[in-house]
Amino acid sequence: MKKKLAFLMSLMMTTILIFGLFPSMNSQAKQPSYLMDVKKDYLYGGPGETSVYHTYSFVGKDTAGKFKGFNNWKQTFVYPDQTIEYTHYEKETNKGLFNDNNIALPYPIKKGARWTVNGKKYSISSINKTIKVPAGTFKNVIEVKIVTDLGSAYRYYAQNVGLIMTFAEGRIMSELKEVKAKK
C-alpha cells in the first residue's frame, strides 16, 4: 500500500513539475503578431523608385471615437510634385489584424481562410512564403489574395513587421524599403 501511494505521489509530482515548467505543453501557442512596430518608422516604394515613396510614422493610440484603441499612424505619400498625408489606423485583437476598422488578417492564421470587405474577396493563399524586399528577407510570410471586379492582387505580411509587399497587375506595386528606429 505504501509503495502504491508513493508511486502515485511521485507520478502526481512529476506531472505537476513537467506541466509547471513547460506550460506550453498543455496550452495553445500564442498567435504571432503582424502589427507594425510602433517604435519604428517604415519606408515603402515601388521597385527601383527613389522619387515616389510613402512612409508610416506612429503618432499614438487613439483614445476616443470610431478608432478608440487603434494605433494611429501618419501615412505620407511623397511624389515629385506633391506630398499627401493620410491617417492610418491599425489594431490587433484575438480576432485578427484590423486596418481602419476592416479585417486585414483573421486569427488564427489558417491557409484557405476567406472573408469579404466592401465587396472585395480575401483569402489566405499561403502561410509560409519567403519574400525578399530591400528591407530584408522574411520567412513564414502570410500571402493574402484579394479578388475584385478588376482582377487580383496580393499582400504579404511578416511577423512582427506587418505589410512588406503588395503585388498587382503582374508586378510589385509597393515593397518595404527600410524599417528604422524612431528618432
Side-chain angles (χ1 to χ4, degrees):
M1 179 75 162
K2 283 185 179 181
K3 284 185 179 181
K4 189 174 184 181
L5 185 59
F7 171 75
L8 289 174
M9 289 296 285
S10 173
L11 183 62
M12 185 175 76
M13 291 305 289
T14 303
T15 302
I16 291 169
L17 183 63
I18 288 173
F19 287 105
L21 291 175
F22 306 105
S24 62
M25 290 175 67
N26 67 346
S27 64
Q28 289 184 333
K30 186 178 182 232
Q31 172 66 48
S33 176
Y34 293 89
L35 249 154
M36 291 190 295
D37 185 341
V38 298
K39 295 178 182 173
K40 302 202 173 149
D41 287 329
Y42 291 72
L43 171 68
Y44 294 86
E49 291 182 17
T50 56
S51 62
V52 177
Y53 61 91
H54 64 280
T55 62
Y56 286 87
S57 186
F58 180 68
V59 175
K61 262 205 196 302
D62 247 36
T63 57
K66 180 178 171 181
F67 297 108
K68 184 177 182 180
F70 278 72
N71 291 338
N72 180 341
W73 293 82
K74 179 172 77 172
Q75 184 180 18
T76 306
F77 285 85
V78 178
Y79 301 97
D81 59 343
Q82 67 178 329
T83 298
I84 303 171
E85 290 185 355
Y86 296 96
T87 301
H88 171 78
Y89 297 96
E90 185 180 63
K91 181 178 184 177
E92 192 170 50
T93 72
N94 63 346
K95 294 184 187 225
L97 175 68
F98 291 82
N99 289 325
D100 301 329
N101 256 347
N102 295 314
I103 189 128
L105 281 175
Y107 293 164
I109 299 291
K110 292 181 190 169
K111 183 177 178 184
R114 298 177 186 284
W115 66 104
T116 302
V117 176
N118 299 326
K120 296 176 185 173
K121 295 178 182 180
Y122 292 74
S123 63
I124 296 177
S125 47
S126 180
I127 59 172
N128 60 356
K129 290 263 186 197
T130 298
I131 301 290
K132 184 177 181 181
V133 295
T137 300
F138 299 90
K139 295 181 184 220
N140 299 314
V141 170
I142 306 302
E143 178 183 69
V144 175
K145 183 177 183 180
I146 306 157
V147 178
T148 70
D149 294 340
L150 302 173
S152 297
Y154 295 87
R155 290 185 184 155
Y156 298 89
Y157 294 88
Q159 290 180 20
N160 303 312
V161 177
L163 184 67
I164 59 168
M165 186 170 70
T166 57
F167 184 90
E169 300 172 6
R171 66 184 181 96
I172 295 171
M173 303 301 280
S174 178
E175 60 187 349
L176 186 59
K177 301 277 189 181
E178 182 179 21
V179 178
K180 60 183 178 180
K182 289 185 86 55
K183 293 180 183 180

